[in-house]
Amino acid sequence: QGFFEAFPKTRSAATKTSTNSRRHRLYLPTMNLFASSSSIAAVFLVLLSLFSCQHAAAVTQLDVDGYYQQTLGKTVFIKMFAPWCGHCKAMQEDWEELAKDYEGDENILIAEVDCTMDGGKELCDDLGAEGFPTIKYGDPYELNDYYEERDYKNLSSWAQKTLKPRCSYEKQEFCTEKQKPMVREIAAMTWDELESRLDEIETILEKEETRFKEEEAELQKQLDSLDEEFKKKKKEIEQDGLFKLMKQTRDYLEKQSVKSDEL
């Protein structure tokens, strides 16, 4: 039997009105409470959304696919991190504050890479991340390690002194007198000439790398041989009966505080 069916069907209109009024008075405060809670929750969600947007806008997130386009022509300051890293968490607010200082800058990029995410892990490997956080700066393809303090005051001071617009084909106004002739030489090349010169240089680099690895392997063989020879000699000496007896005698005399010219 339903709730409303539990009441006698012969109720008078006055009784019905009285019952409905009581029910309405009980229901109205509850509705107001829910409305108030919903409003507070809505405001909270809006504020949270705004905070998230500000964070996302402040720190550029990099991955291996977008690295070239996002860093093109810029001097970069990059933090590579893992979400579980305590030191990374400790400096996060300072890093976000620094990123806000350079937000929208055409020449300087403050960014970060989550080394645990798809695309981020590969980029961290390519950039040589060793431990967390790893912080690097400079030319996107010739990065230097940052070893200074990680609080906002020191980060900001260091960035102002060090992060400068870099010379490039598209931003020749930042080139030094020494760099300008090289840029003009490159600018005068055709696409095919540029590709050919790069191929020549990269071939030389590959040959040098191969030669280095071969010589390194040969040196390692020599080191292994020397190590084996040393261990063999050491074992022969330590197992010599006279050597053992002399050591035992010396240790005994030292303990007994006995000094003698003849044993």
Side-chain angles (χ1 to χ4, degrees):
Q1 193 176 32
F3 176 80
F4 292 105
E5 292 176 353
F7 289 91
K9 293 184 178 180
T10 58
R11 288 179 303 168
S12 65
T15 303
K16 290 181 181 179
T17 301
S18 176
T19 302
N20 289 337
S21 297
R22 287 197 302 272
R23 189 182 302 126
H24 179 72
R25 286 197 301 272
L26 290 171
Y27 181 65
L28 185 58
T30 306
M31 284 292 291
N32 290 337
L33 178 61
F34 281 128
S36 176
S37 299
S38 299
S39 299
I40 293 172
V43 172
F44 176 78
L45 289 173
V46 170
L47 292 174
L48 182 62
S49 175
L50 288 173
F51 176 81
S52 299
C53 290
Q54 288 175 351
H55 171 87
V59 185
T60 299
Q61 305 293 314
L62 300 175
D63 61 29
V64 71
D65 294 326
Y67 186 73
Y68 174 78
Q69 288 296 333
Q70 289 174 290
T71 63
L72 183 63
K74 295 186 176 183
T75 297
V76 299
F77 199 14
I78 301 174
K79 173 178 65 111
M80 289 167 269
F81 72 98
W84 45 259
C85 162
H87 293 298
C88 304
K89 292 177 183 178
M91 68 171 294
Q92 184 62 30
E93 290 186 7
D94 298 287
W95 192 256
E96 290 175 7
E97 192 69 24
L98 180 69
K100 288 178 184 178
D101 292 345
Y102 289 89
E103 189 173 356
D105 195 299
E106 295 183 356
N107 303 305
I108 309 296
L109 175 65
I110 310 298
E112 61 186 19
V113 188
D114 185 342
C115 298
T116 66
M117 298 291 288
D118 291 340
K121 183 179 185 306
E122 187 177 351
L123 181 58
C124 289
D125 291 341
D126 290 345
L127 299 182
E130 296 180 356
F132 302 117
T134 292
I135 306 175
K136 300 199 174 211
Y137 70 94
D139 185 318
Y141 292 95
E142 290 184 31
L143 292 171
N144 303 296
D145 293 308
Y146 174 85
Y147 295 114
E148 307 302 320
E149 298 296 327
R150 299 170 185 165
D151 61 282
Y152 171 73
K153 181 178 179 181
N154 282 287
L155 285 167
S156 179
S157 175
W158 181 91
Q160 290 176 26
K161 295 175 183 176
T162 310
L163 301 179
K164 306 296 181 183
R166 63 188 183 88
C167 170
S168 63
Y169 175 80
E170 65 275 15
K171 295 181 180 179
Q172 299 182 28
E173 65 271 23
F174 298 118
C175 298
T176 64
E177 292 302 317
K178 184 178 180 180
Q179 293 170 323
K180 287 178 180 178
M182 292 186 282
V183 174
R184 286 195 292 267
E185 181 183 355
I186 294 171
M189 294 180 184
T190 64
W191 175 260
D192 289 341
E193 289 173 339
L194 180 61
E195 284 282 281
S196 178
R197 289 285 297 276
L198 285 172
D199 287 343
E200 289 175 7
I201 295 171
E202 287 170 355
T203 299
I204 293 172
L205 286 173
E206 288 174 2
K207 288 181 178 178
E208 287 299 314
E209 184 177 5
T210 300
R211 183 179 66 83
F212 168 78
K213 289 181 177 179
E214 289 174 350
E215 293 186 5
E216 183 183 36
E218 186 60 36
L219 286 172
Q220 188 61 52
K221 287 180 182 179
Q222 294 180 28
L223 285 172
D224 291 342
S225 177
L226 287 171
D227 183 60
E228 186 177 348
E229 184 179 346
F230 166 72
K231 289 178 180 178
K232 184 179 178 181
K233 290 286 186 183
K234 182 181 178 183
K235 186 176 181 180
E236 290 176 357
I237 292 172
E238 289 177 343
Q239 290 181 345
D240 181 74
L242 179 61
F243 174 71
K244 285 184 177 181
L245 185 58
M246 290 170 65
K247 283 187 67 177
Q248 290 171 0
T249 302
R250 183 188 63 187
D251 294 342
Y252 171 78
L253 292 176
E254 284 180 348
K255 290 178 181 179
Q256 298 299 320
S257 300
V258 175
K259 295 182 181 179
S260 175
D261 294 330
E262 294 183 3
L263 305 181

